[in-house]
């Protein structure tokens, strides 16, 4: 799933629901405090996705640490690590990488269902609707508004830590492509912090098993020999 969308060097772990070993991890005190008083369903998904994150961190040699949501809702990763989590109905996943290798990682998963009309009208800009018509003149067999939303979520998770600021879905643009990639242009307020990605960056998407998946992984030194600004494709 997510693993097939990220390049070598990014480690992932996923779970389908809250019944596997990922759901049995013992939360740190700070994590327990973060979900004190929430509904049990929210506590379970919070626990499972952190079990996924601990498994992924272990694959890059990092021991478990508290992963507590910050002011923007994103988890605080250990020093020297970038990462992202996602959870939706029946699916949880985490992706992590060494900050020396990647400047940012963002993932998202969504049910393969059309967005409610009112939500789609708020998420998809007129420019993006035009792009969808150009890229998918005969449709795509998947709900493109949901795919676009998923791509925007993964992109947001990648660029928002650069500024620590909130942005609306209309503040940045994403162009889906029929080849399973998408191109994101960050908000104007991010351009300085975005450095080599100020002009935009590319992510990947797929739809299978009733879910939509998106991922962004930006190499840390895109100007270095052998390095590209674009993500290296994961396994086919």
């Amino acid at each position: 799933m997510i693993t097939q969308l990220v390049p070598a060097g990014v480690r992932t772990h996923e779970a389908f629901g809250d019944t596997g070993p990922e759901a049995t991890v013992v939360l740190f005190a700070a994590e327990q405090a973060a979900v004190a008083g929430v509904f049990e369903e929210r506590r379970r998904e919070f626990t499972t996705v952190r079990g996924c994150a601990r498994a992924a961190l272990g694959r890059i040699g990092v021991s478990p640490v508290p992963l507590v949501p910050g002011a923007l809702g994103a988890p605080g990763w250990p020093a020297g690590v970038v990462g992202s989590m996602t959870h939706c109905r029946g699916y949880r996943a985490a992706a992590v990488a060494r900050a020396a290798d990647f400047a940012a990682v963002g993932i998202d998963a969504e049910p393969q269902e059309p967005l409610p009309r009112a939500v789609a009208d708020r998420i998809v800009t007129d420019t993006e609707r035009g792009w969808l018509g150009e890229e998918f003149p005969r449709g795509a067999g998947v709900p493109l508004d949901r795919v676009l939303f998923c791509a925007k979520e993964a992109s947001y998770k990648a660029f928002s830590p650069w500024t620590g600021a909130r942005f609306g879905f209309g503040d940045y643009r994403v162009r889906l492509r029929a080849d399973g990639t998408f191109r994101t242009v960050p908000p104007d307020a991010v351009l300085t912090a975005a450095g080599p990605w100020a002009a935009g960056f590319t992510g990947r998407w797929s739809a299978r098993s009733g879910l939509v998946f998106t991922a962004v992984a930006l190499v840390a030194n895109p100007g270095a020999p052998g390095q590209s600004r674009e993500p290296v494709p994961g396994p086919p």
Side-chain angles (χ1 to χ4, degrees):
M1 302 298 185
I2 288 290
T3 302
Q4 296 176 317
L5 299 182
V6 297
V10 177
R11 297 292 182 263
T12 65
H13 190 87
E14 60 189 359
F16 295 86
D18 301 313
T19 59
E22 303 83 7
T24 64
V25 298
V26 177
L27 296 177
F28 289 93
E31 294 171 326
Q32 294 177 19
V35 288
V38 304
F39 290 114
E40 183 59 26
E41 180 180 357
R42 168 58 180 150
R43 180 187 296 274
R44 288 198 302 268
E45 69 181 18
F46 181 96
T47 301
T48 302
V49 79
R50 275 154 182 78
C52 291
R54 293 180 193 181
L57 286 169
R59 290 174 184 147
I60 59 171
V62 177
S63 299
V65 297
L67 299 172
V68 181
L72 300 180
W77 295 98
V81 172
V82 294
S84 182
M85 300 182 193
T86 187
H87 52 78
C88 68
R89 186 176 65 238
Y91 184 78
R92 293 82 171 88
V96 300
R98 293 283 185 181
D101 300 322
F102 289 88
V105 173
I107 63 171
D108 195 59
E110 298 287 334
Q112 192 175 321
E113 302 167 356
L115 292 173
R117 178 61 181 271
V119 176
D121 288 344
R122 181 170 58 87
I123 299 297
V124 186
T125 67
D126 290 342
T127 296
E128 289 165 337
R129 289 188 190 281
W131 286 340
L132 290 177
E134 293 175 14
E135 298 284 348
F136 303 90
R138 295 183 175 84
V142 296
L144 292 173
D145 55 357
R146 180 73 72 169
V147 179
L148 184 67
F149 172 72
C150 195
K152 285 196 165 188
E153 283 281 351
S155 298
Y156 185 88
K157 292 175 184 180
F159 71 65
S160 62
W162 294 338
T163 61
R166 292 187 183 276
F167 298 94
F169 284 108
D171 293 332
Y172 57 104
R173 302 185 303 280
V174 172
R175 182 165 188 160
L176 291 182
R177 293 169 174 161
D179 63 358
T181 65
F182 58 88
R183 183 76 177 173
T184 300
V185 179
D188 291 344
V190 177
L191 298 186
T192 299
W197 299 283
F201 51 80
T202 299
R204 304 183 70 207
W205 69 271
S206 69
R208 64 184 67 187
S209 303
L211 295 168
V212 173
F213 305 93
T214 54
V216 172
L218 306 179
V219 295
N221 299 297
Q227 295 290 348
S228 168
R229 293 185 185 184
E230 305 302 332
V232 179

